[in-house]
Amino acid sequence: MKLLKYFLFALFLQTTVMGQTQLPAWQKGLLDIHFISTGRGNAAFYLLPDGASLLVDMGELPLNNDGRGSPAVPDSSKSAAQWVADYIHHFHPLGNQAVLDYVLITHYHGDHMGSAREARRTHPEGQYKLFGITELGSIVPMRKLIDRGYDHPLDFREAAKEPRSSSMRGLGQFEDYWKFIEYQKKTNGLIYEKFRVGSVTQFHLINGREEFADFTIKNLFANGDVAGISDTTVAMRKFKKGEQVDENNLSCGIKISYGKFDFYTGGDIPGIGHTGGCDFFSMESYAAPVIGQVDVATLNHHGNRDSQNEYFVRTLQPRVWIGQSWTVRHPGEEVVRRITSRFVYPGERDLFTNFLHPANQTFLGNMAEEHYQSISGHIVLRVQAKGETYDIYILDDKTTERTVVKQFNYKSR
Ligand SMILES: [Zn+2]
């Protein structure tokens, strides 16, 4: 009895820091998705049911002081990549020995891969600038890096020879990104692959493929190519070779299914036409059928006003929407209207975001109060084995203790 009491007390100490609760450690069978709050762009750290790890994006925008952006979180004493490395070391089962089995860069924008303009240092041997993905990859070893590839619809290696061309504007990080990949391939055995649309095996479990046969990650779309609904082929090709297309359209999207549970994330694809209505020729409208109904979805394009068209929202009907925001424009008021409207789809839904700008909070008023369960912090989605239920934890992003602030429970559809 005494021993049991001692054990319970030790357990209590382990999960409690000064009266605050730590996130219970990941265990085999759980799917954890951490939407890390840095204030500088997207970074989501996944622990798959067998312990394989995946990072989706490593955004790092330049710090801005114009009052419209989010502040660096927890502060600017470290770069976003250093904070993300610190976060991964905190929650990865291997702690400081953590390795990322997969990294997916959804598309080539600074808030998803880092911006070379932000680089303060150069890798001493690799001679590439350290920012976002190139800095994180130099701290946390990566086994496989996957992105949309650089040759469709436009060949960036050709376009890069003319860096002043409109298609290369704002994409100045390529030279360093490619140098980083070559260096990591040579010295650390990094494998680089292009995202394969339709594949259900490119992101596969490593130690539990048989044990967790009800777990899959399907590659839905990239470069405007969209997968078939019930097979692994490319069903539609939106863009022609050589076409100049806004980078957001070319984002990679995935769907994770785990038993009854479904999750969608798809970078920055747009869905609203220039007149403000649902655009049936937009990437969202092309993508919606292959995504189908899900339990949890991240907001496309951070909830920017050109995203989440009615058709897309009605098709997905998620119970939980997660936003990864970094400016006062995230999310747009009309986007919140659409995703919370009972006319678009029935039933309850909850909204979460890493950051809601105070000016936007005031502007959204009652809508924010009524629908947002949380407007700051790291957001952790934890799906139980078989996917019957899932939880959302909000972790404090102001300190490195990262204690649990709130917890919510849901049943999968
Ligand atoms: Zn973005």
Side-chain angles (χ1 to χ4, degrees), residues 42 107 109 111-112 248 267-268 301-302 326:
N42 289 15
H107 63 296
H109 274 159
D111 55 333
H112 299 262
N248 288 341
D268 284 359
H301 200 196
H302 320 274
W326 50 260

Side-chain angles (χ1 to χ4, degrees), residues 251-269:
S251 296
C252 305
I254 55 171
K255 180 176 181 177
I256 297 185
S257 301
Y258 190 22
K260 285 177 90 175
F261 175 85
D262 294 294
F263 167 81
Y264 159 76
T265 192
D268 284 359
I269 60 166

